[in-house]
Amino acid sequence: MSDLIPGSVRRTTVTISNPYPFAITVRRIEARVAGSSRWRCRPTGTNLRIGPYLGRLPLWVPARGRATAGEFEVRMPDTVADACQRTTFRLAFTARAVETKPHKTTTASAVRVKPRTAHDADTTRGAGVER
């Protein structure tokens, strides 16, 4: 990330790529400052801060496909060192995901639903049931 000035805020959008032959569900995404283009400008919170993930989780990603996730807010605080002028910061992203098993969705008319009480009988009619 570049072209930041002290006090500025930018957002960076995250795209998740799935190299696997099965779909995945992303449950967590994190970001950190991994480095800078100038050795005197340390990748610390006094020079650049990354906020929490701003987006919806879980996120489904198709097999060998991509999905646009949310964003991270990146802020250059007023405490940034003078050595960070004209520096490019490298951000590293980490995601936790699980394999998504294929599933079928059927309607309640095709599945027998045994209500526990008479009240439950009224609330379960026509509801979708996932297997």
Side-chain angles (χ1 to χ4, degrees):
M1 177 152 286
S2 58
D3 298 326
L4 291 168
I5 60 172
S8 65
V9 177
R10 288 188 123 178
R11 286 192 174 189
T12 182
T13 302
V14 179
T15 300
I16 304 290
S17 298
N18 178 7
Y20 301 108
F22 50 82
I24 60 172
T25 300
V26 178
R27 304 225 182 258
R28 187 171 76 196
I29 302 173
E30 297 173 343
R32 65 179 176 83
V33 182
S36 75
S37 61
R38 297 183 184 270
W39 68 273
R40 295 182 94 185
C41 177
R42 299 186 50 194
T44 64
T46 57
N47 294 326
L48 194 70
R49 292 186 185 138
I50 301 178
Y53 174 70
L54 304 170
R56 184 176 48 87
L57 289 176
L59 175 70
W60 181 81
V61 185
R64 299 196 198 295
R66 299 173 163 224
T68 300
E71 300 175 321
F72 283 94
E73 190 173 83
V74 180
R75 176 182 307 270
M76 179 171 275
D78 293 327
T79 57
V80 64
D82 287 340
C84 294
Q85 292 181 25
R86 293 179 291 284
T87 296
T88 299
F89 290 92
R90 188 170 43 89
L91 307 179
F93 300 90
T94 305
R96 301 270 185 217
V98 295
E99 180 179 354
T100 302
K101 303 287 186 189
H103 67 279
K104 293 186 232 175
T105 302
T106 58
T107 61
S109 61
V111 177
R112 292 183 188 246
V113 177
K114 184 177 180 182
R116 286 185 235 151
T117 67
H119 174 70
D120 289 338
D122 291 335
T123 60
T124 58
R125 281 191 209 135
V129 177
E130 286 190 4
R131 288 195 212 199

